[in-house]
Amino acid sequence: MTQHNKREIEMLEQKAREEHKEAEQARSVVGDVYIQKKFHENRSAVQPKKSK
């Protein structure tokens, strides 16, 4: 394997790692938003009774 090919492979591997990290962060954000939405839905469905 030539030095040029080795460097190109290393660059592609680094790019793949960065893209994987970005995808993980995006999944985390989507999960957080989903949890917040469900929390607010449940909260609005269970309204506390107002005391007189």
Side-chain angles (χ1 to χ4, degrees), residues 2-14:
T2 67
Q3 196 63 16
H4 176 73
N5 287 345
K6 185 177 178 185
R7 180 68 185 137
E8 188 174 342
I9 290 169
E10 289 172 352
M11 287 173 43
L12 289 171
E13 289 173 342
Q14 178 63 30

Side-chain angles (χ1 to χ4, degrees), residues 21-36:
K21 183 178 177 183
E22 290 173 5
E24 284 294 323
Q25 290 172 340
R27 275 193 285 276
S28 176
V29 168
V30 168
D32 290 347
V33 169
Y34 177 78
I35 290 168
Q36 287 178 355

